[in-house]
Amino acid sequence: MQTTDRTVDIGSTGVPDLGDVAGHWVGADEIAHLPSLRNQQGQAHVNHDLTSLSWVAAPPFTFGYHTGELSVDGVIPAAQQFLWKPWGVLREYRGDGLHLTTDTRMALSQDLLLWRIVATNESSEARTVELAQDLFAMVAHSDVGYGWLYDGPWNHGRHHDFMALERIRATTGGGERHYLLSPAPRRLRLGRPRIPGIQRDEDHGPMLLDDALPAHVSGDTEPEPRVGVAGALRGLQVEGADGEVARWGDEEIVLTPDGETSLDRFVLSAGMKIGFEVQLEAAEQSGTVLTHGNHPDSLQIGVEGGRLWVGITGEREFTDAELTVGDWHHVRVDVEPDHVVLSLAGSEVARTRHWTASRRWAARIEDGTVAFADSQSPARAVYAFFGSSGELRTEGAGGRAAWTCRLEPGQSMSIGITCAYGTDADAVSAQARIAAEGFEATMSASEDGWRRLWASMFTPNNAYFTGHLPTFITKDTGLARTYYMGALQALYQRSTRIRPGEPVFLTGGPRLGPTTTYFWDHSEWSRLYALLEPDGLRSWLLRVLAGPYQDSFGIENLGGGPLGNAYSANDYALFRLIEHYVCITGDLAFLDETTGGTTVLVHLERLGLGWRAKRSAATGGVLADFGDDPWQLLECVPTYTGVVASFNGAYVSSTRSLAGLYRRLGRHEEARAAEAEAGQLAVGLLDLYAGSGRWQVRRPDGTDTIGHCLDFGLVAAALHGELPDRIRREMADFVTDRLLVGGWMRALSPDDPIAAASDRPDHGAAGAFAAWPGVTAYGLARLGCRDRAIALLRDLPSAASGGLWGQAMEIVTTADGQHRARVAERGVATRECIAGAAGAEAVLSALFDINPSFATGGPVSLPAALCVDGVGTLTHLGPVR
C-alpha cells in the first residue's frame, strides 16, 4: 500500500494518484475522531483497539455493539497510530519488541468485512506470540428505521442509542471497563416513558449534545408503545453508595397509563439502590412503572402481562414474578457498573447481563468458520480465515479464534479474516470462504476498484458517473490538495445501493445517517454535484420537491420520507441546487417537469421569493424574519433568530436570479418587479450593518450584534457589487483578524457576548462547520481579496486529521501555545461531511469564477479549459454531457 505524507507534490501533472490525495499516519494522541470505513454501500467506524469496528451500517443491514478486539499474549493493546485511505484503515502498535499492524476494510460494493493482521518480532531473540481475535456479528436486517438517528440492533429490540454505543466503543483498546451507566444527571420519572424517541429529559429543555439528541428519526417505524400502568406507588427512595438516602415521602403516587410524574434529577451510579412499593389496579397489565431519564439506555422497571421486568442499555430481563392485583409489592433495583439486579420482596428475580452474553444471536462453528444467526431478523454472518483458522471456539453470542506462533528475530506472521453478511446462510458462507481463499486478491480488488472510480470522476463519458469533474493543474500543492480532497469527499460518501440506479451522496456518518441527505449540506457543493452526477442530482431534486421540503432539513433516501425540523436555509439551498443544475447542464426543460403537484419553476419561485411570506411588521416589514427558534438557523447560537443578514442576503441573490430568468422567459414585467424588490431587500440588509464587519440581529424584543461567518459569506456573495469600500474592507479584516486561525477558522468570533453559550465546534466559537472555509473564501474573493481566499483554501488540508473533513472542525491549542484544527468527536459530530467539498467548490467559484446563474442569462457554455494566472488551469471542464 502506498502511504505517502502531505509533502507529496500533487496537481502539477493532472489528476494525482488516489493514494497521494489524502491520508497520512496520525498518532492516537493527535486525533479526536477516529477514522471510518466506507464501500459505496455501507459505513463503519474503527475503534481504539487494533481490529474492532462499530457503527457498521450497510442498509438494510446494521451491526450492533462491535466486531471484537484482538488480544496479544492475553492483553488487548490500543492502537498507537492510524492511517486512513479510502479503501481501508491501518492501525499500528509497537511494544515489548513486537510490531503489530492491522488493515481493516469494507470490500468495495460488497457485504464483506476484511482484516489482515501482521505480527513482527522486532526483538533480537525468538519469542512465542499468542494472538486471539474475538469474533462478533450482532447483525440485523431491516428495511425501515434509517433516520439521521437510525435504529440499530440491541439484545432487546431495535432503537437508536447513540450515547450507549459510544460508551461501549470507549471500552475498546483497554479503555473504560464499564459501559452500562450514563454519567449525565437525569430525572426520575414514574409512569409513561418517552423512549426510544427524543434522547432528552425535557421536551423544551436544552439539547446539550453530550447526552441529549433531537428526534431526527424516520417515520416509517412504529416506536415501542409508551404507556404506564394503572395503580399506585409509595415509599420511593434512592440510596447512594455512600449511604445517603433521598426520599419522596410515604404518600401514594397515583399511576395511570397516560400519566407521568417527574421527580428530581440525579446521576445513576454504581452502588445505588432504588426501592419502592407498587400496587396494580388490574391484572395482566403491560407498561412502565419507573424510568431514569427518557433515553434509550435509561434504567426502566415495568410489567409485561403483570410480570416484572427490568431494562437498561439495550438489555431487558423478564421475570416470572407476577404482581397480585391490589397487594403492595416491594421492588428494589441494585445498580452496579456492569449489571443491574431486580429484587421482589427482598429476593433477586432478575439480573442484566453483558452484551457479549446475548440471547438474541447464536454463534456456531462450521467447518473452520464461525457462523452467526439473528433470532429477530433473517440476517446471517460468517467469519472465515485465510490459511489457518487457529483454535476456534464459541463464547456467549460470539466466537474466538486463537493462534500461537514462535517468531524468530525479524520474522512475521500474517492472518487474514473475512466476515460476510446477508440473509441467505449458504450464500453468506460461500462468500466468506471464497473471499478468504483468495484473500490477497480480495484485498487488492477493493483498492483497485477505488482507483477506477477515482480516475472515472475526471474522465468524460466514463462508465460510473453521468458527468465528470474538471482536472485541476497547478503548481500550488495546497490548492491542489484542497480541490482533490473535496472531490474525494464526494466520492467517499457516495452510495449506490440506497436508490438503485440513482447514486446518493450521504451527508455525514458513520455514527449517523446511513441513508440521509441534508438540503443545506448538498448546496455547498452544488456546482461539483451538477458537473459530476447531473442525472443523479436531477432525480434527487424531483424526489425532494415532491415532499414537504419546507418542514424538514433533509430526506431519508431509502424510505423517501422527510427528516427533522425545518431549516431557514432550505429556500437558499434548494434554489441554488436547481439553479446550478439547470445553468450547468443547460436542461431548461427541467423547469417544466411536474413534481409535488406543480412544476419545478413554480417551486423555484416559491424558494426564491420565500421572503415575502416571512416579513413581520414587528421587525420592520421589509426583510425576512425567520422566527424565534434558534434550531431553525444555527442551532447552537441562541441569539441568532428573527431578522438575520445571512439568508436575507441569499434572498437578494435569488430574487435577482429570478428576475434574469423572467427576462429569458419573456416575463418582463415580473422581471422588473423582482429587480425592484431585490433592491429594496438590499437596502434593508445594508441597514443591518453594525460596523467592524459585524451585523445586527433584529427581533421584536430588541437587537443584538453578532460576528458570524455565515453573515459574512452570504452577504459578500449577494452584495459585493454594491457594498461601500469601507464596509468591504471591514468585513474582510474581520474575517482575517477574528475568525481565521490554525489553518481553519471559527464560525463565531470568540469575543462575541454569546460565544460562551455557543460552544459547538461547527457553528459556534470553538471551530467551524466543514463548509464555512469554502463559503468564506468565496466571500473574500467577491470582495476583491482573492489573495486571502487563496491563502485560506491552501491551508485547509492540514485540518483533516489524517483523512477528510468532518462536520465539526474544532480549534485546539498545542503544548507550545499554537492553534490547530482537527475533526471533532464531542457531541454527535460526524467523522465525514459532504459539505467538506465546499473547499473544492470554492476553487471553481472563487478562483475560476464559475458562477452560473439565471441572473447572468441562464445556462452557460463551459469552455474546454480555463486558465487563471497564479492559480492554475482547469481542463476537461465542458461540456458536462
Side-chain angles (χ1 to χ4, degrees):
M1 176 183 292
Q2 192 172 1
T3 56
T4 53
D5 62 26
R6 287 171 289 179
T7 64
V8 172
D9 177 25
I10 70 170
S12 60
T13 59
V15 179
D17 182 86
L18 180 56
D20 293 338
V21 173
H24 60 275
W25 284 104
V26 290
D29 57 346
E30 300 176 57
I31 193 171
H33 210 143
L34 299 183
S36 70
L37 297 173
R38 295 178 189 263
N39 70 345
Q40 302 282 291
Q41 62 187 36
Q43 55 188 33
H45 241 312
V46 307
N47 294 332
H48 301 277
D49 61 302
L50 287 169
T51 53
S52 74
L53 293 173
S54 294
W55 294 108
V56 181
F61 299 101
T62 51
F63 280 61
Y65 308 100
H66 65 69
T67 57
E69 298 174 275
L70 174 71
S71 61
V72 183
D73 297 332
V75 177
I76 298 173
Q80 296 168 336
Q81 58 178 352
F82 302 83
L83 173 66
W84 173 88
K85 292 294 177 183
W87 49 81
V89 175
L90 292 179
R91 286 175 269 187
E92 188 177 67
Y93 168 84
R94 272 191 168 92
D96 193 27
L98 189 66
H99 179 203
L100 290 164
T101 302
T102 64
D103 187 346
T104 311
R105 305 185 181 189
M106 296 183 81
L108 185 64
S109 300
Q110 297 184 65
D111 291 325
L112 181 67
L113 307 175
L114 307 168
W115 291 266
R116 181 195 286 119
I117 302 168
V118 179
T120 303
N121 181 7
E122 294 186 330
S123 71
S124 58
E125 298 180 356
R127 62 176 296 174
T128 299
V129 178
E130 295 180 358
L131 301 180
Q133 175 63 53
D134 286 335
L135 308 169
F136 294 104
M138 273 65 169
V139 60
H141 177 280
S142 176
D143 292 311
V144 297
Y146 293 99
W148 184 242
L149 278 67
Y150 68 92
D151 292 344
W154 294 82
N155 289 332
H156 179 73
R158 284 178 60 84
H159 55 261
H160 188 94
D161 196 342
F162 186 96
M163 304 304 173
L165 187 49
E166 283 297 286
R167 293 200 300 273
I168 291 172
R169 287 186 69 210
T171 67
T172 61
E176 297 288 338
R177 289 185 55 208
H178 304 298
Y179 65 89
L180 203 63
L181 307 179
S182 168
R186 298 175 178 174
R187 288 193 180 279
L188 192 66
R189 298 178 185 275
L190 308 178
R192 181 177 182 266
R194 281 179 279 159
I195 65 171
I198 297 178
Q199 299 193 89
R200 57 200 289 226
D201 270 348
E202 310 288 350
D203 282 338
H204 302 291
M207 295 181 189
L208 301 177
L209 297 186
D210 55 351
D211 196 64
L213 292 170
H216 297 331
V217 295
S218 64
D220 56 8
T221 57
E222 287 293 328
E224 178 181 335
R226 305 173 195 175
V227 296
V229 297
L233 185 145
R234 70 185 184 189
L236 176 63
Q237 70 176 38
V238 177
E239 180 180 344
D242 57 3
E244 184 176 344
V245 177
R247 290 188 176 88
W248 279 269
D250 293 326
E251 294 184 6
E252 293 183 13
I253 300 173
V254 175
L255 304 176
T256 63
D258 294 326
E260 176 190 74
T261 301
S262 177
L263 304 173
D264 292 347
R265 186 189 308 268
F266 60 89
V267 174
L268 193 67
S269 56
M272 186 171 281
K273 297 177 173 59
I274 301 176
F276 56 87
E277 289 186 281
V278 64
Q279 180 189 68
L280 298 184
E281 279 186 8
E284 298 185 355
Q285 290 192 66
S286 296
T288 301
V289 174
L290 176 149
T291 179
H292 180 251
N294 289 312
H295 303 61
D297 62 339
S298 292
L299 170 69
Q300 288 189 84
I301 302 168
V303 292
E304 181 75 20
R307 291 175 171 81
L308 271 175
W309 57 259
V310 62
I312 189 169
T313 311
E315 312 298 325
R316 185 171 292 188
E317 295 293 332
F318 294 87
T319 77
D320 293 327
E322 187 170 0
L323 303 185
T324 307
V325 172
D327 291 346
W328 286 99
H329 301 273
H330 187 268
V331 178
R332 191 183 78 195
V333 170
D334 292 71
V335 178
E336 296 301 334
D338 56 0
H339 67 275
V340 168
V341 175
L342 177 67
S343 298
L344 179 64
S347 298
E348 178 179 328
V349 291
R351 177 183 296 251
T352 64
R353 59 189 68 206
H354 194 269
W355 67 266
T356 58
S358 171
R359 287 175 290 195
R360 173 172 175 175
W361 290 273
R364 66 184 184 278
I365 298 172
E366 294 182 347
D367 298 327
T369 68
V370 182
F372 294 80
D374 178 21
S375 63
Q376 296 182 23
S377 82
R380 301 292 182 264
V382 171
Y383 281 93
F385 306 89
F386 173 60
S388 170
S389 61
E391 176 189 343
L392 293 180
R393 66 177 186 268
T394 58
E395 296 181 351
R400 170 172 281 207
W403 300 264
T404 301
C405 183
R406 181 174 177 80
L407 297 177
E408 299 298 325
Q411 187 179 4
S412 298
M413 65 178 293
S414 181
I415 298 166
I417 304 174
T418 67
C419 177
Y421 48 96
T423 56
D424 184 313
D426 292 338
V428 168
S429 179
Q431 183 184 17
R433 292 173 187 272
I434 291 170
E437 290 168 2
F439 184 75
E440 292 302 327
T442 304
M443 293 284 280
S444 297
S446 282
E447 181 174 342
D448 294 343
W450 276 104
R451 292 182 184 279
R452 282 194 300 274
L453 287 172
W454 176 250
S456 296
M457 286 186 80
F458 304 94
T459 303
N461 303 313
N462 65 81
Y464 297 98
F465 307 92
T466 56
H468 67 278
L469 296 181
T471 298
F472 181 32
I473 301 173
T474 179
K475 295 180 180 179
D476 192 319
T477 298
L479 287 181
R481 195 172 292 281
T482 293
Y483 177 75
Y484 286 108
M485 283 177 63
L488 179 54
Q489 188 108 39
L491 176 61
Y492 192 54
Q493 291 177 243
R494 177 176 178 257
S495 175
T496 57
R497 184 160 74 181
I498 297 171
R499 305 286 303 183
E502 178 200 320
V504 168
F505 294 88
L506 302 177
T507 289
R511 300 190 296 185
L512 297 159
T515 66
T516 299
T517 50
Y518 280 60
F519 310 146
W520 193 358
D521 297 61
H522 258 10
S523 72
E524 303 297 356
W525 69 294
S526 50
R527 296 169 182 82
L528 290 171
Y529 198 170
L531 288 166
L532 176 65
E533 190 54 68
D535 289 2
L537 175 54
R538 191 184 203 277
S539 177
W540 181 83
L541 281 168
L542 289 173
R543 287 194 292 111
V544 167
L545 296 175
Y549 56 82
Q550 298 286 12
D551 302 322
S552 57
F553 58 56
I555 59 169
E556 189 277 290
N557 288 283
L558 183 65
L563 278 180
N565 55 278
Y567 268 8
S568 298
N570 286 356
D571 285 357
Y572 157 72
L574 292 174
F575 187 96
R576 171 172 160 156
L577 283 156
I578 296 169
E579 179 178 44
H580 286 168
Y581 167 75
V582 173
C583 290
I584 285 176
T585 64
D587 184 10
L588 280 165
F590 180 63
L591 298 175
D592 296 324
E593 289 273 0
T594 298
T595 182
T598 190
T599 65
V600 172
L601 176 58
V602 171
H603 287 291
L604 189 70
E605 291 175 293
R606 290 174 182 172
L607 296 165
L609 302 174
W611 55 271
R612 289 177 175 171
K614 293 181 173 67
R615 290 174 294 182
S616 168
T619 47
V622 175
L623 298 173
D625 185 330
F626 297 97
D628 60 1
D629 184 358
W631 285 86
Q632 293 193 11
L633 280 107
L634 286 174
E635 297 183 341
C636 69
V637 185
T639 57
Y640 201 75
T641 58
V643 176
V644 297
S646 57
F647 294 120
N648 273 292
Y651 278 134
V652 173
S653 293
S654 63
T655 305
R656 285 175 172 162
S657 183
L658 279 172
L661 180 58
Y662 288 149
R663 281 192 296 271
R664 181 183 182 94
L665 298 176
R667 295 161 59 176
H668 299 291
E669 184 174 340
E670 290 169 282
R672 287 190 291 272
E675 285 283 9
E677 289 178 311
Q680 292 171 352
L681 287 175
V683 171
L685 179 54
L686 285 173
D687 191 48
L688 293 181
Y689 187 65
S692 302
R694 301 172 193 258
W695 295 84
Q696 188 183 94
V697 176
R698 186 179 297 161
R699 297 185 299 275
D701 60 351
T703 62
D704 281 297
T705 297
I706 197 166
H708 200 282
C709 70
L710 186 60
D711 285 341
F712 169 83
L714 296 189
V715 172
L719 270 66
H720 57 87
E722 55 210 276
L723 289 170
D725 288 344
R726 174 184 62 84
I727 295 180
R728 293 158 68 95
R729 284 195 308 272
E730 289 177 355
M731 288 176 63
D733 289 345
F734 166 75
V735 166
T736 303
D737 297 341
R738 305 306 307 161
L739 301 185
L740 302 188
V741 62
W744 195 254
M745 65 184 296
R746 303 182 192 274
L748 176 68
S749 177
D751 63 356
D752 263 30
I754 199 61
S758 305
D759 187 42
R760 267 179 46 177
D762 52 359
H763 303 316
F769 179 53
W772 296 155
V775 171
T776 301
Y778 180 71
L780 287 168
R782 294 299 92 187
L783 295 181
C785 302
R786 181 170 290 197
D787 56 338
R788 301 193 207 186
I790 290 173
L792 172 57
L793 293 172
R794 182 184 292 135
D795 285 345
L796 302 186
S798 66
S801 296
L804 299 172
W805 299 288
Q807 168 207 333
M809 307 292 296
E810 62 187 353
I811 305 299
V812 295
T813 305
T814 60
D816 59 1
Q818 300 299 308
H819 295 299
R820 69 178 180 91
R822 67 181 183 185
V823 180
E825 183 188 40
R826 61 193 179 98
V828 292
T830 61
R831 180 55 184 82
E832 286 89 28
C833 179
I834 195 70
E841 179 95 343
V843 170
L844 300 183
S845 62
L847 305 187
F848 285 93
D849 293 322
I850 298 176
N851 293 301
S853 170
F854 295 124
T856 55
V860 297
S861 178
L862 294 173
L866 274 177
C867 183
V868 174
D869 289 343
V871 175
T873 301
L874 292 178
T875 65
H876 299 132
L877 183 55
V880 173
R881 298 181 187 277

